[in-house]
């Protein structure tokens, strides 16, 4: 199975900061990478798919990039609503899909 | 609008089984695979498997083979996940989630989650 790692595991930032989260896959997955946001007590929400496509309704301050084995999620200017945990997910159809361990973004 | 509404919280004893339901609305139920994902307290997301509501075909994660059964009732647009031989480490929130491209595993809509507590 493909293993996913994320860094950092926790990130402390302030409103207005530019934030970058990295996700790495143990094998090449082309661009089959999604990012989800999860707030406490809530279900995950799809933000980005196919590595860089913004889901409808998601603010443009979120962006994704990368291909192969290394990917990033960037929040250009952190807003109060963005404090949450972020998960990457590979969805290569030839392998059971897996989530990364998550990155918690909290208030500095 | 697409909605997935799950059944309420459950408390079960070790060794018992639990069945969680997920009622879909706002789209054609048989047109999209349904996945189940769980999250233990304070932990990450763990994929359990999917069901094709059209054919009833299933694909289970290896870790749950033999213990999980996913079914559906197309007449009421509802998917079910049953987990048997429950252990304390099955305590988790269980989510259903729709697969945007049926088999892609890109999960675009999620249920609100069902807390299953396993305790003697």
């Amino acid at each position: 199975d493909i293993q996913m790692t994320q860094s950092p595991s926790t990130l402390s930032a302030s409103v207005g900061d530019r934030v970058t989260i990295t996700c790495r896959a143990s094998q090449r997955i082309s661009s089959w990478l999604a990012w989800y946001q999860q707030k406490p007590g809530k279900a995950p929400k799809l933000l980005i798919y196919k590595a860089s496509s913004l889901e409808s309704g998601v603010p443009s301050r979120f962006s994704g990039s990368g291909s192969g084995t290394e990917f990033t999620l960037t929040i250009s200017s952190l807003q109060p609503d963005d404090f949450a945990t972020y998960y990457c997910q590979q969805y290569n159809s030839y392998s059971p899909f897996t989530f990364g361990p998550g990155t918690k973004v909290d208030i500095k | 609008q697409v909605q997935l509404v799950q059944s309420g919280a459950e408390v079960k004893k070790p060794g018992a089984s639990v069945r969680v339901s997920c009622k879909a609305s706002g789209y054609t139920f048989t047109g999209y695979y349904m996945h189940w994902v769980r999250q233990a307290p304070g932990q990450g997301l763990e994929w359990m498997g999917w069901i094709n509501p059209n054919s009833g075909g299933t694909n289970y994660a290896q870790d749950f083979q033999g213990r999980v059964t996913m079914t559906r009732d197309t007449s009421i647009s509802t998917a079910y996940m049953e987990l048997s031989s429950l252990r304390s480490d099955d305590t988790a929130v269980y989510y259903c989630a729709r697969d945007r491209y049926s088999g892609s595993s890109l999960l675009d809509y999620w249920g609100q989650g069902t807390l299953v507590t396993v305790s003697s």
Side-chain angles (χ1 to χ4, degrees), chain A residues 36 38 55 89 91 97, chain B residues 39 47 95 100 104-105 107:
Chain A
Y36 298 85
Q38 187 179 34
E55 177 70 354
Q89 176 221 349
Y91 56 105
F97 81 84
Chain B
Q39 186 172 38
W47 176 70
Y95 294 101
R100 169 169 291 176
S104 74
S105 303
L107 308 180

Side-chain angles (χ1 to χ4, degrees), chain B:
Chain B
Q1 72 285 17
V2 174
Q3 279 194 302
L4 301 175
V5 179
Q6 297 183 222
S7 49
E10 303 264 11
V11 179
K12 295 292 183 181
K13 293 192 182 304
S17 297
V18 68
R19 189 175 84 154
V20 179
S21 68
C22 171
K23 182 170 178 59
S25 61
Y27 72 98
T28 302
F29 177 65
T30 52
Y32 299 80
Y33 289 16
M34 191 73 77
H35 293 248
W36 291 88
V37 175
R38 76 176 186 179
Q39 186 172 38
Q43 302 301 308
L45 301 167
E46 182 178 23
W47 176 70
M48 300 179 69
W50 55 248
I51 182 167
N52 176 347
N54 187 42
S55 66
T58 55
N59 181 25
Y60 302 142
Q62 194 163 4
D63 285 353
F64 297 97
Q65 293 271 1
R67 279 210 307 144
V68 70
T69 304
M70 296 177 188
T71 57
R72 90 293 188 213
D73 184 338
T74 57
S75 68
I76 55 172
S77 299
T78 299
Y80 301 93
M81 187 284 300
E82 182 168 5
L83 189 62
S84 62
S85 302
L86 288 169
R87 310 183 290 249
S88 58
D89 63 358
D90 290 318
T91 293
V93 175
Y94 290 77
Y95 294 101
C96 60
R98 190 185 82 160
D99 186 333
R100 169 169 291 176
Y101 301 120
S102 282
S104 74
S105 303
L106 179 65
L107 308 180
D108 62 353
Y109 287 93
W110 295 62
Q112 83 276 18
T114 297
L115 175 62
V116 175
T117 303
V118 183
S119 173
S120 55

Side-chain angles (χ1 to χ4, degrees), chain A residues 59-107:
Chain A
S60 59
R61 63 181 180 272
F62 291 92
S63 64
S65 65
S67 67
T69 61
E70 188 156 333
F71 304 86
T72 59
L73 172 70
T74 299
I75 309 172
S76 60
S77 177
L78 196 66
Q79 298 302 302
D81 192 47
D82 302 338
F83 292 98
T85 299
Y86 294 84
Y87 294 93
C88 63
Q89 176 221 349
Q90 65 83 12
Y91 56 105
N92 182 318
S93 61
Y94 298 102
S95 177
F97 81 84
T98 45
F99 293 95
T103 295
K104 183 178 180 180
V105 177
D106 62 20
I107 301 172

Side-chain angles (χ1 to χ4, degrees), chain A residues 16-30:
Chain A
D17 284 352
R18 181 181 182 87
V19 166
T20 299
I21 299 168
T22 298
C23 174
R24 291 184 175 87
S26 62
Q27 301 174 34
R28 294 183 64 84
I29 58 171
S30 184

Side-chain angles (χ1 to χ4, degrees), chain A residues 32-50:
Chain A
W32 303 116
L33 191 285
W35 290 97
Y36 298 85
Q37 176 194 66
Q38 187 179 34
K39 297 180 181 178
K42 300 295 186 182
K45 172 187 173 184
L46 178 63
L47 297 178
I48 301 280
Y49 62 97
K50 209 169 181 186

